[in-house]
Amino acid sequence: MCRAQEEEDERYSEAVRRRPELGLEQKCMKCKERSAVLIIRIGDAFCKDCFKEYFVHKFRAMLGKKRLIYPGEKVLLALSGGPASSSMFQQVQEGLSRDAPKKLRFVPGLVHIDEGAVRRQSLKEREKMVAEMESVLKMSGFPYQIIALEEVGRYRAVIQVFNLPSSVVQWVSKDIPDMADDYKAAVDGFLGHHTGVENAESGSRTCVQTKLAELSIEEPEPAASTGTFCLPSAQSTQALKQLFDSVRSLTAKEELLHTLRSHLLVHTARAQGYSKLMLGDSCTRLAVKFLTNISLGRGAFLAMDTGFSDRRYGDVVLVRPMREYSLKEISFYNQMFLVPTVFSPALNSKPSEKGSIHQLTETFINKLQSDFPSTVSTVYRTSEKLNVASSVEGPESVSAARCLFCLCPLDTRVEKASAFHATLISEHLSQRKSLDLPEAAVKKCCAESEERRCCKKPAARGSTTSRADERLNLLDLLCYGCRVTTKDLTTLDHLPHYVRSEADHRTHRTAMKKEIQEFLLHENADLEYVLKT
């Protein structure tokens, strides 16, 4: 073991010696004329102009290569104010300008979610951060909306996040066109529609971008871009705090926050008519997310959680155009070209390195990246090779059983000879052992609350479902990763109303299906028999 460590140290020392010497006299690797001002990777030195050209080209090449966003399509940009989302916002602004060489053709909208209640910010701190974010969004001229996490609505007609429609956690089917010939046809049709001249190239493109810029600026959402943002009521803020106070670990809090944020973004996109939701996840962030999801038991959904596109919601497609940028590249670009950012504190005010799995993984990746610069790219390339299963995006995905929280296909519908069922058996045996209490302990347990039934006696027929049964029913509707998060909840009473109502709906539907199972026609045997007769 010591010998292997010595050999590894020798190889690392040799690699360090072979690194090119860096200095102020080094020339740009692209133009070979101007002096380099920054070094992205080992030997990749750029001057300021070449670095900007490289940065812009990578963003537009990613969108053009994937051919996912069609001309004239409405795209909602989720902005947190951080470096990655701010840089993405800057690229979209420049891509839609009239002077851009390769212009973007979609119609953007902006949304920012204020999470100050979860992050324990005071009212003055929240108002200050919202004011800074609103000033940045106003300068763009695009329609924008600022939403508090605990309340979402049109400034006056406010809808609490706990009363969102159940469709937020439901798959909404939508015909997905083929991206081979349809994209080119859509581009030609878009150009011809706005210019009135077929087969015109240079003049048509200029006119298209002029119309698109006017459409983006002169067609604001009436409720999304007017009015003043008002902080939510104290009642809804208290309800959100109670929900997060009922979570034991910081890891589960971060996962719950990500789930609620995703539900709000998807609901906003559907309400405003956006078909694409653009996220600012960088390569470094996705590398951390890749290893974190493996630790949390979400390995089956790595392709959806870290891929360029995510179709788990059906009608709204999640897009990650910043996934090939490292955090170092984004930070240099923001600093050199004065991209405005808005700082937001972490979920925990003073988190430690081992406070959560997310923070522990991030610390591990950053320390490893400082010694081995190819760490992030290696993890990222590994996630890039993963493909989404055909059942996720195929026609059968409409009727597939999906997780109640993340809307991923349930990975718990497996055979009995699996590690998941072994885990369930172990949990069942441990719970059964804990119920074998002495008689004095049983009396004490039953005397704690008059409303709760005795833990030894079965529930009366026709009575309401116990809390334990409600938790079991909820767990049956979750994937393995969301089960791990839910187990850290001390109570389910503070969950949003739309989650609990959808859980009851699915539970009752499953029970009804079991009752009439013998009267249903099966796809193979019964249907064949009916056709033959």
Side-chain angles (χ1 to χ4, degrees):
M1 188 68 182
C2 296
R3 180 61 182 170
Q5 183 64 33
E6 292 176 359
E7 293 177 356
E8 181 67 24
D9 294 340
E10 291 177 0
R11 286 194 295 267
Y12 175 70
S13 301
E14 182 66 21
V16 172
R17 286 194 297 268
R18 291 181 180 178
R19 289 181 182 178
E21 294 184 1
L22 307 177
L24 297 176
E25 67 280 358
Q26 187 171 358
K27 298 297 182 180
C28 174
M29 63 171 292
K30 188 174 182 180
C31 65
K32 310 294 184 182
E33 297 178 358
R34 293 182 289 268
S35 299
V37 296
L38 78 159
I39 297 174
I40 301 176
R41 292 173 294 271
I42 300 177
D44 294 346
F46 286 94
C47 63
K48 185 175 181 179
D49 295 337
C50 292
F51 174 66
K52 183 176 181 179
E53 183 180 353
Y54 154 82
F55 198 92
V56 173
H57 173 74
K58 183 187 288 190
F59 182 84
R60 299 180 189 176
M62 170 67 74
L63 295 179
K65 180 176 64 175
K66 298 298 182 180
R67 293 189 172 186
L68 189 64
I69 301 178
Y70 282 62
E73 194 172 13
K74 297 182 66 176
V75 180
L76 183 63
L77 277 67
L79 304 179
S80 63
S85 63
S86 300
S87 180
M88 177 185 69
F89 175 44
Q90 180 76 9
Q91 294 305 308
V92 172
Q93 274 189 301
E94 294 183 0
L96 290 172
S97 63
R98 301 179 182 179
D99 300 331
K102 293 183 179 180
K103 302 177 181 62
L104 302 176
R105 298 187 178 97
F106 58 84
V107 181
L110 312 176
V111 61
H112 170 72
I113 296 181
D114 174 38
E115 304 170 357
V118 180
R119 303 180 188 277
R120 303 297 181 181
Q121 288 182 295
S122 62
L123 293 179
K124 291 184 178 180
E125 292 175 343
R126 295 181 66 179
E127 290 176 350
K128 180 181 178 181
M129 192 178 70
V130 167
E132 292 178 2
M133 197 67 201
E134 190 170 9
S135 63
V136 174
L137 300 181
K138 274 185 177 179
M139 293 176 60
S140 65
F142 302 139
Y144 69 91
Q145 188 171 4
I146 300 179
I147 306 172
L149 182 63
E150 59 266 42
E151 286 184 350
V152 56
R154 295 178 175 270
Y155 292 101
R156 293 183 180 179
V158 178
I159 305 174
Q160 291 189 8
V161 68
F162 300 97
N163 295 327
L164 287 178
S166 300
S167 59
V168 177
V169 289
Q170 294 176 359
W171 165 278
V172 179
S173 61
K174 180 183 179 182
D175 295 334
I176 301 175
D178 189 11
M179 298 181 188
D181 300 330
D182 290 347
Y183 183 83
K184 186 177 183 303
V187 174
D188 295 339
F190 181 80
L191 295 175
H193 175 72
H194 284 274
T195 59
V197 180
E198 298 181 357
N199 302 324
E201 296 182 359
S202 59
S204 63
R205 292 179 181 177
T206 304
C207 184
V208 163
Q209 289 305 318
T210 303
K211 295 293 184 181
L212 184 59
E214 294 175 358
L215 180 64
S216 301
I217 297 176
E218 297 179 2
E219 194 182 46
E221 298 289 341
S225 59
T226 59
T228 305
F229 175 80
C230 299
L231 290 175
S233 62
Q235 182 180 1
S236 58
T237 302
Q238 183 64 25
L240 185 65
K241 289 181 179 180
Q242 289 178 354
L243 172 60
F244 279 84
D245 288 340
S246 64
V247 184
R248 298 188 186 96
S249 64
L250 183 59
T251 301
K253 288 183 179 180
E254 294 187 5
E255 287 295 311
L256 182 61
L257 177 60
H258 173 73
T259 301
L260 294 179
R261 187 193 302 122
S262 301
H263 291 172
L264 276 182
L265 291 175
V266 172
H267 172 73
T268 305
R270 287 175 175 171
Q272 301 295 333
Y274 293 94
S275 57
K276 298 293 189 301
L277 179 61
M278 194 173 287
L279 306 177
D281 293 331
S282 64
C283 175
T284 307
R285 177 58 56 189
L286 291 178
V288 174
K289 193 174 185 179
F290 181 82
L291 297 182
T292 302
N293 286 4
I294 293 178
S295 304
L296 294 176
R298 297 187 57 84
F301 316 123
L302 290 175
M304 289 190 290
D305 292 337
T306 61
F308 175 79
S309 62
D310 185 359
R311 302 178 184 272
R312 72 180 69 184
Y313 296 99
D315 58 337
V316 178
V317 181
L318 277 60
V319 184
R320 302 180 180 94
M322 303 295 294
R323 67 188 303 264
E324 287 196 356
Y325 293 95
S326 65
L327 190 58
K328 180 180 179 181
E329 294 175 350
I330 294 173
S331 301
F332 272 121
Y333 182 86
N334 293 349
Q335 184 176 6
M336 293 175 63
F337 300 100
L338 304 178
V339 177
T341 57
V342 179
F343 170 77
S344 58
L347 184 61
N348 193 359
S349 58
K350 295 182 180 179
S352 61
E353 293 183 358
K354 300 180 181 179
S356 66
I357 296 179
H358 305 79
Q359 295 171 359
L360 184 61
T361 307
E362 185 176 2
T363 303
F364 170 75
I365 289 289
N366 292 335
K367 288 184 178 180
L368 202 60
Q369 175 71 13
S370 60
D371 295 333
F372 303 96
S374 61
T375 299
V376 171
S377 61
T378 301
V379 177
Y380 165 74
R381 296 303 174 189
T382 303
S383 65
E384 198 176 30
K385 296 177 182 178
L386 301 175
N387 296 321
V388 181
S390 58
S391 60
V392 177
E393 299 184 357
E396 61 274 13
S397 60
V398 179
S399 58
R402 293 182 172 272
C403 177
L404 184 62
F405 283 176
C406 65
L407 264 74
C408 292
L410 288 180
D411 56 348
T412 56
R413 307 294 174 87
V414 293
E415 299 178 356
K416 293 184 178 180
S418 61
F420 173 72
H421 278 277
T423 304
L424 293 181
I425 292 174
S426 300
E427 292 180 357
H428 177 70
L429 293 177
S430 62
Q431 293 175 0
R432 184 178 180 182
K433 185 177 180 181
S434 63
L435 290 178
D436 296 336
L437 302 172
E439 186 176 355
V442 173
K443 291 181 179 180
K444 182 179 179 181
C445 171
C446 300
E448 289 180 357
S449 175
E450 296 180 357
E451 299 178 356
R452 295 181 58 186
R453 65 179 176 88
C454 176
C455 55
K456 284 287 186 177
K457 297 180 180 179
R461 190 172 183 178
S463 62
T464 58
T465 308
S466 64
R467 297 177 184 271
D469 295 336
E470 183 182 2
R471 182 177 290 270
L472 290 176
N473 292 335
L474 180 64
L475 291 178
D476 290 339
L477 304 175
L478 302 178
C479 63
Y480 182 79
C482 293
R483 285 187 179 212
V484 176
T485 303
T486 308
K487 288 178 182 178
D488 282 338
L489 289 172
T490 57
T491 178
L492 303 179
D493 297 338
H494 302 304
L495 282 176
H497 179 265
Y498 65 93
V499 174
R500 302 184 66 182
S501 62
E502 179 66 16
D504 294 339
H505 173 72
R506 294 189 185 183
T507 302
H508 295 159
R509 185 178 180 86
T510 303
M512 183 184 299
K513 187 176 181 179
K514 288 182 179 180
E515 292 180 0
I516 62 175
Q517 186 69 32
E518 57 182 3
F519 303 102
L520 296 177
L521 293 177
H522 295 283
E523 295 181 0
N524 298 327
D526 294 345
L527 187 58
E528 265 183 33
Y529 176 76
V530 171
L531 292 176
K532 288 180 181 179
T533 56

